[in-house]
Every structure is written in structure tokens, then in C-alpha cells.
Amino acid sequence: MANRPQPLGVMVWVGMGALALVLALTLSPLMTIAAFGRDGFALRITDWAAIHFTLVQAFLSTVLSLAIAVPLARAVARRHFWGRRLFVALMGAPFILPVIVAVFGIISSFGHNGLIAQILRPFGVVMPEIYGLHGVVLAHMFFNLPLAARLILQAWQDVPQERVRLAQSLGLGHAAFFRHIEWQILRNTLPPAFAIIFLLCCSSFAVALILGGGPRATTIELAIYQAFRFDFDLGRAASLAAVQALLCLVLGGIALKWTRPRNPLGTGLDRPLALPRGGRIAAVSDGFVILVAGVFLILPLVRVLWLGLPHLIDLPSQVWVAALRSVVMALFATAICLCLSLHIALTLTRLKAAPYLEAICLLALVISPLALGTGWFLMLRQITNPIAWALPVTVLVNALMALPFVLRALLPALREAEASQARLATALGLQGWKRFRHAYLPRLIRPLGFGAGLAAALSMGDLGVIALFAAPDHATLPLEMMRLMGAYRMQEAQGAATVLLGLSLCLFWVFDRGGRIYA
Amino acid sequence: MLELRNIMHHSAPFTFRANLTIARGEKVALMGQSGAGKSTLLGLIGGFITPDQGQIIFAGQDLTEANPAARPCAILFQDSNLFPHLNLRDNLGLAVSGARKRTASLDARIARALDKVGLAGFEERRPASLSGGQQSRAGIARVLLQDRPVLLMDEPFAALDPGRRREMAALISALCAELGLTLLLATHDFNDAEGICDRVILLEAGEIQADCPIKGLRKTAPAALKPWL
């Protein structure tokens, strides 16, 4: 029998082209860095200190995030309280928050002169300075505690109800219940969560930029920035970027290996889970954990709004210009990201080698934006003035950074559409655009909306590449806000933080809501 | 005798109500569509759900507030009857001690229970290395060790092929007869019910719609039960 031409065959080739482009955009800067250091990478003693600090802060941030996430996830899993759904949704919010805004909120809440310090001062309690290791760890916990809690909560909610009932029927005590049910969840969930959070903490830049610094609190990312911006020592920046890329690649490989889906306790009949709630002590401890975590997550956001709203009308014009620039860049990054991820997703659903090809897209997540930015700068300076290309490069890197998340949102929906609609579409002779329009697009609109919202919000809040080589008159809003903070124009920075927070959440909401309405 | 007196359990939008008496050694099939209340009834008897109203009495003793482990009930599900990280010896040992203390007498009891369900010598095997039918039989061995007079079975055969279903039905029937167990079997399949039980209860939207002996039912079934035959 003759082989029929594959429907969407052109799209597959376009998708392969998109994959090749992602690979080129990600690897070429790394190769440039490697070529730049062909005479040997030179690291100073302070750079080794930066590597040490990066690993220490990442380890502490990860361990502390997980240590609190476990009781938090358990408390949320076994308690039903007013606002529970909102609380779980709130745990997803830090992911789309601009880092600089969140850090600003953390400083104004938990800093030396923050709200908590003001409340405790009359009682003789003085809050320590937030700058340094503990500030970096605290900020990383703000971002990663909810991520870890959501990962663990999901695993907890996947426990078959039958398993819990069996344990109850057998009369397993607290220790046996932990060993046979809860530990089985945790031993499968904690290692991948550890790897992902450790990776995120190693490659985080804006937190260290604002709360770190100095010889004792400089991360590799911050050292790259300092070598670039302050010393213009490109050799050292390339060396550090190579170390950072290598570190993240190794950690990313471990995370990928550990994140293979495993369900340690089977599937059951998909009945709603009712975990044993324990006695009065358990109820009090659960309530305490939820309350403390809730305050920890909400207070910084409330503080940003509280401090920033009164100053909105006084904002200098450059803040509004930067805001407009950021929105335009976010929209471009979103469009590029959606275009690439849609074509790549269509290709991945048709190829046996999909898992390996998907790993290419994760490269952008694994390699830090500053390492990419350094590589791009080194590449561009051979042919043109890199400063003039700062905005397009930022847009491109932001699109690449959002790509793995958008792809993760699209692939399940596309695979479901392929499984349920492909035969019908083939039977009706639908090909190309018509096939995509009728068989796939209706299933994709919702994840496309979510993915677009994610890409736009992440791009809006990015303070990575742009901080590395932006022209003074081409700042994005996060960069402008950082400059205002650096110049101690705090009231204007507070107003800018509110604008940035509002625009990021607004962009996410508009796209996500649009996807839901038209789904 | 097991009695459910004026039981009411509300879980929006579903309300379950029942008045029911089950004699010692009786084998009752619970039939009805998904969401009709079969699992809720088993959950109430097993102690996994506390009723909003009414009493559950067994042998004159009020069990309404008793926790699952304190009730005279063992339960078997379609799946998830064994902990995957434990071998069969440790899985079955939990039924006796609730912990993993090994004693010679416990090992001997486990060996006897496994032998009874045709799994002699399987003590060291983990559930993942067993077929679906073997896992079900291991679950029954655990029930034997629990040594409780009431057996609750929540769609235990749903994942088995017809041959295995018949084999399991025969094994359950034999054990119920030998040990005098009271059985409540939730199922969608009348053939399973007919092979094991002597009474059928049809549930619909949380209410008992029909309750009759299974013998001769194919000829004299009430209208509500006819679609299930």
C-alpha cells in the first residue's frame, strides 16, 4: 500500500525549523563563550567565592522551602477552609510576579525597617538587616515555597482514596500512616522538587542583584553582571558564564532524570480524596502553617500596593515610557514564543523522538539568561554595536525563557486533540490549515491563552539580559525601577513597582481570560 | 446482625438515606449506576464516612462513631489493596499487627493465608511482580488475616477478565461459606452478584429502590431491576 502524505507535513517541517532555531539561539551564545575562553578560563578567588555562595544559598533556600512546603501541602490537602481554592491559586502567583516587585515587597515587609519590624519594635525586637545571605534565602523561599507546596500538594491529591481507606481499615497509627502513605509520596516528589528549586535558585539573578552583593553575598549570576557592567572584563564574564552554564546543565539533567512521572501508590478509581484530619493538635498546627504561609505570601504584595498607589500620579514620565516599552516587548516576546512553541508542539506530537527534542526546548530554561546574554553580547560585538541590539536580544531571550512553560501547557492538549480528533479529521479529508483550525485549535485556545499570559507576565517582569547591556535611554520598567531604587528615589520606585505589578497581572489575566472565553 | 437505622448522609448535591438490616452470614450485592450510593453505603458501614443522622448497629453494638479499625469490617477494592513498596509478607503482616514486627507465628499465619488463596511461597514477592488476579487473591489473603466477620467489597472484579472474575467469585463464595462472613459486594455486573450473593439491593440517587432475594430474580425481577439483569 502506498504511503499517504502526512497531513500537516509542512507544519512538521516548520516545527523542525523552529526547533533548529531554538537550538541555534541557545547554543550559539554558549559556543561563543567557549570560543572566547579557548585560551583557558580565568577565575579569581572572588569568583570561587561566588560559586560557593551560589551553591550555599541555593541549598539553604531549597531545603528551607521544602521543609515548610511539606507541612503546608499536607495542611492544605487535609483541610477544607473558606478561601481554600483562592489560597491554592495564590500559591501560583509568585511564578508570574516580577522578581523586582516581589523583592521590593519583601524588603518593605520583612526588612530592617519593614512592617514587621515596625510592629515588633515597641516590644524591643529589632529585625536584622535583610541584605545578604538570609535576605537572598528569604526571597527565594517566597518564590519557591509555593512552587514546592503545589508540587507536593498535587502528589498528595493523587493518592487513591482506596489506599487511605485501607490504611484506616488496618488501623495504621500516625507513624505507620506516614511510612506507608505519606513517605511514599514524599520520596518520589521531593527529589525532583529539590532539583528544580535548586536549579532556579542557582540561576536567579534579580534577587541576588538587589539583596546580595559584596564579597560575601555574590552569586555567579551577579558576578557575571559585575564583570560585565563594572569591570567590562569580558574574559572573566565568559568564564563565569561557562561555569554557570555547566552548573545549570548538570542540575537540569538531574532534574529531568528525576522528574519522570511516577505514581508510587497506584491510580485507584479517581474518587475524591479525604485524608484523615487528625486530632485537635493537628488542626491547630495545620491552621498555624496555613496562616503563616498565607501572611508570608500575601503581605509583600499588599505592601507593594499600599506603598505604591499614593505615588502613581507623581511618577516621572520615564517610568511611563519604560512601562510602554516593556508592554510592547512583552507582546513581541509572547508572539515569538507562541509561534515557536505551537509549531514545535505540533511536531513533537508526531515524532517518536519527541522526548529528546523536547529536551532541546528545556535548554533555554536550564541555561541562565545572563549566560545567554553574555554569549549574545560577545557574538554581536563582532559585527555591530551590541548595545543597540539590547532590546531585540531581550525580547528573544524572554521568548526562549517562556518556551518550555508554554510548551508544557500546549502539549497535553495537543496530544488529547490528536488522540480524539485526528481520525475524524483524516476521514473528512481535512489537511493543513483546515485540519488545524477544526481538529486542533478548539482544544488549544485555552492553553494558548494561559501560555500567552505566562509568557507576557514573565517577559514583563524580566530583569536579566536587559540589566546586562541596556542603553541608558532604553530601560524597561523593571530596569527603570531598579535605577530609581539605586538612586534612593523610593517613592517613585514604589509607584513604579505598583505599575509593574498591575501590568504583569493584567497581561496574564487578559490572555488567560481570553483563552477561557473563546475555548 | 448488621443494622442501618434511619441513616442520612448529605454531601452536596447528594443525599444518601437508608434503613437496612443484614443477617449474619448474608451475602448482599449492591447494584446501581455510578454515583447511586454503593460506595457511600460501604463507606458508612466501614467507618470511612460518618452519617449526619442515624445509627449503625452490629451484633447489638452501636458502631456509628467507631473508627474504621475498630469495626468488624474488612474491605477490598478493585485496586490499591496492597502497598507497592512492601512484599506480601509485610503487606499481610500489617493486617495483624499494624506494624512490621516479624514473629514466627505471624509468618506461619501469613503462609497459611497465602496458601489458602493459592499463593503459597509468594511471601517475598512485591505486588508489582504479580498479575492482577494474583494481587486480588493476595488482598483476600489479607482479609483472611484481618479475621473480621463483615467483608466489604467495592467493585473488586472491575479490572479482571471474565476467567479471573469467575475464579475470584468462586474463591470469595468458598471463603464466605467456610468462615460465615457477612458480605456486601458493590458491583455493576449482575453475573458477579448472582455468582456469589443471595440478596440484591438496587440503589438510585442515594435511595434503596429495590431489595429482594437473588434466587429466581431473572423471572420475577421488579421493574427497577430489570435493566440490570
Side-chain angles (χ1 to χ4, degrees):
Chain A
M1 192 171 72
N3 284 333
R4 288 166 186 266
Q6 279 287 314
L8 289 174
V10 178
M11 280 197 176
V12 170
W13 284 110
V14 175
M16 291 299 282
L19 267 173
L21 185 65
V22 170
L23 197 62
L25 291 174
T26 318
L27 289 188
S28 56
L30 291 189
M31 288 163 72
T32 308
I33 290 170
F36 200 84
R38 63 182 173 275
D39 299 329
F41 291 108
L43 293 175
R44 299 178 190 169
I45 293 173
T46 51
D47 297 335
W48 288 108
I51 295 169
H52 178 255
F53 180 77
T54 302
L55 296 174
V56 168
Q57 63 82 18
F59 180 78
L60 286 176
S61 304
T62 309
V63 168
L64 289 172
S65 296
L66 291 174
I68 300 174
V70 170
L72 177 61
R74 182 201 230 187
V76 175
R78 66 184 183 180
R79 300 283 158 205
H80 295 276
F81 52 93
W82 185 85
R84 183 180 180 274
R85 286 179 67 177
L86 182 68
F87 186 82
V88 174
L90 185 76
M91 288 201 295
F95 190 73
I96 57 167
L97 277 185
V99 178
I100 190 167
V101 172
V103 173
F104 189 80
I106 289 167
I107 294 170
S108 61
S109 302
F110 309 114
H112 184 59
N113 292 311
L115 182 68
I116 301 291
Q118 289 169 29
I119 294 170
L120 294 178
R121 197 163 292 149
F123 302 100
V125 180
V126 179
M127 292 286 278
E129 270 297 343
I130 200 166
Y131 299 96
L133 175 64
H134 52 279
V136 172
V137 170
L138 190 73
H140 281 156
M141 282 173 66
F142 175 82
F143 289 105
N144 296 308
L145 164 64
L147 171 68
R150 278 177 72 114
L151 287 171
I152 298 166
L153 177 64
Q154 186 59 51
W156 230 295
Q157 287 175 336
D158 286 344
V159 178
Q161 192 204 56
E162 292 87 338
R163 195 71 74 188
V164 175
R165 288 190 169 184
L166 173 63
Q168 290 175 313
S169 170
L170 293 172
L172 300 189
H174 293 301
F177 188 85
F178 177 79
R179 191 166 66 226
H180 297 305
I181 302 274
E182 297 182 315
W183 176 241
Q184 302 309 316
I185 302 164
L186 294 177
R187 68 198 282 257
N188 278 279
T189 315
L190 289 184
F194 184 94
I196 291 166
I197 293 171
F198 195 84
L199 174 66
L200 291 173
C201 292
C202 277
S203 58
S204 132
F205 167 64
V207 167
L209 178 66
I210 302 165
L211 293 172
R216 294 175 63 188
T218 296
T219 60
I220 303 173
E221 294 273 288
L222 191 54
I224 295 172
Y225 173 76
Q226 288 166 349
F228 216 105
R229 291 294 291 191
F230 302 150
D231 307 333
F232 200 65
D233 184 345
L234 295 181
R236 197 171 140 243
S239 302
L240 287 162
V243 170
Q244 177 72 349
L246 192 68
L247 177 68
C248 291
L249 277 172
V250 171
L251 290 171
I254 294 170
L256 202 63
K257 187 173 169 54
W258 279 351
T259 36
R260 283 180 188 154
R262 281 177 292 183
N263 187 348
L265 291 172
T267 51
L269 289 175
D270 203 21
R271 288 171 180 152
L273 176 67
L275 285 173
R277 296 182 184 181
R280 193 168 290 172
I281 293 172
V284 170
S285 67
D286 285 353
F288 179 74
V289 169
I290 291 169
L291 183 72
V292 170
V295 169
F296 180 57
L297 295 176
I298 293 170
L299 188 59
L301 301 184
V302 174
R303 285 291 284 171
V304 167
L305 294 174
W306 180 260
L307 294 173
L309 282 173
H311 302 297
L312 280 185
I313 44 171
D314 307 327
L315 282 177
S317 61
Q318 77 257 27
V319 170
W320 296 110
V321 173
L324 182 64
R325 188 176 292 118
S326 278
V327 171
V328 172
M329 287 171 67
L331 293 177
F332 271 111
T334 304
I336 294 169
C337 180
L338 284 194
C339 190
L340 286 173
S341 49
L342 191 56
H343 283 100
I344 291 170
L346 281 166
T347 303
L348 291 181
T349 52
R350 284 168 174 71
L351 298 175
K352 282 183 182 173
Y356 303 103
L357 295 173
E358 199 180 339
I360 291 174
C361 303
L362 293 179
L363 271 178
L365 182 68
V366 167
I367 299 166
S368 83
L370 279 210
L372 279 183
T374 306
W376 274 98
F377 184 91
L378 296 174
M379 273 194 327
L380 287 170
R381 73 193 285 266
Q382 294 167 18
I383 46 174
T384 183
N385 173 19
I387 305 292
W389 286 82
L391 298 187
V393 169
T394 304
V395 167
L396 211 54
V397 171
N398 285 348
L400 286 176
M401 291 295 152
L403 185 72
F405 303 111
V406 179
L407 207 55
R408 281 276 100 208
L410 287 181
L411 273 172
L414 197 56
R415 286 189 174 126
E416 192 191 318
E418 179 77 19
S420 61
Q421 304 287 311
R423 282 188 179 181
L424 175 63
T426 304
L428 294 172
L430 297 179
Q431 289 193 16
W433 166 249
K434 274 191 174 177
R435 185 183 180 92
F436 178 74
R437 165 76 185 82
H438 296 292
Y440 301 116
L441 194 57
R443 304 280 179 110
L444 288 180
I445 286 181
R446 196 166 172 156
L448 271 174
F450 173 76
L454 209 59
L458 290 175
S459 174
M460 191 71 209
D462 175 66
L463 183 62
V465 180
I466 193 69
L468 208 57
F469 56 106
D473 54 343
H474 281 89
T476 57
L477 188 52
L479 186 59
E480 187 61 41
M481 189 187 147
M482 198 185 80
R483 286 175 178 171
L484 290 170
M485 286 170 75
Y488 296 101
R489 292 161 66 182
M490 295 313 286
Q491 292 185 342
E492 291 167 1
Q494 287 163 358
T498 305
V499 173
L500 182 53
L501 177 65
L503 284 173
S504 297
L505 295 182
C506 190
L507 277 175
F508 177 80
W509 184 81
V510 166
F511 281 116
D512 186 47
R513 184 77 187 143
R516 286 169 193 267
I517 287 173
Y518 291 106
Chain B
M1 188 188 288
L2 177 66
E3 277 183 272
L4 277 75
R5 292 182 191 162
N6 301 318
I7 285 292
M8 195 276 280
H9 173 71
H10 181 72
S11 174
F14 175 81
T15 303
F16 180 87
R17 291 172 205 280
N19 263 306
L20 193 60
T21 304
I22 297 167
R24 193 176 184 90
E26 199 170 14
K27 290 166 281 184
V28 182
L30 305 174
M31 299 194 66
Q33 294 176 341
S34 296
K38 304 186 295 293
S39 295
T40 304
L41 177 53
L42 293 184
L44 285 161
I45 296 171
F48 309 114
I49 303 170
T50 307
D52 299 317
Q53 180 182 305
Q55 283 180 300
I56 297 169
I57 311 285
F58 180 78
Q61 192 184 352
D62 188 348
L63 298 178
T64 316
E65 300 294 329
N67 69 45
R71 297 195 181 207
C73 309
I75 189 159
L76 265 183
F77 304 102
Q78 171 194 323
D79 191 11
S80 308
N81 291 303
L82 303 166
F83 290 106
H85 58 286
L86 300 178
N87 62 23
L88 289 194
R89 176 187 287 112
D90 292 337
N91 257 300
L92 269 58
L94 285 176
V96 178
S97 58
R100 295 172 74 177
K101 293 173 197 157
R102 275 187 69 178
T103 60
S105 67
L106 177 61
D107 282 358
R109 284 181 67 190
I110 290 168
R112 277 199 301 277
L114 285 172
D115 186 35
K116 201 149 201 163
V117 298
L119 292 176
F122 277 58
E123 284 90 339
E124 299 301 327
R125 299 273 291 270
R126 288 203 178 200
S129 70
L130 304 178
S131 69
Q134 287 172 328
Q135 288 185 27
S136 299
R137 280 189 276 152
I140 293 171
R142 199 204 66 231
V143 166
L144 290 177
L145 282 168
Q146 277 184 279
D147 194 22
R148 298 188 186 179
V150 179
L151 175 57
L152 310 174
M153 300 182 82
D154 196 354
E155 303 189 28
F157 309 135
L160 301 179
D161 60 57
R164 296 273 177 233
R165 290 172 94 103
R166 280 194 293 276
E167 183 190 317
M168 287 296 295
L171 182 58
I172 297 285
S173 288
L175 290 173
C176 286
E178 183 185 335
L179 305 171
L181 298 175
T182 302
L183 173 72
L184 280 100
L185 168 73
T187 179
H188 283 99
D189 190 334
F190 185 73
N191 291 323
D192 289 341
E194 200 174 28
I196 303 173
C197 301
D198 35 40
R199 175 179 167 191
V200 62
I201 292 174
L202 178 71
L203 290 157
E204 203 173 292
E207 307 261 359
I208 295 175
Q209 291 296 315
D211 182 351
C212 44
I214 222 161
K215 198 172 180 182
L217 196 63
R218 288 193 185 272
K219 290 177 187 166
T220 60
L225 258 170
K226 277 188 177 161
W228 293 91
L229 304 184

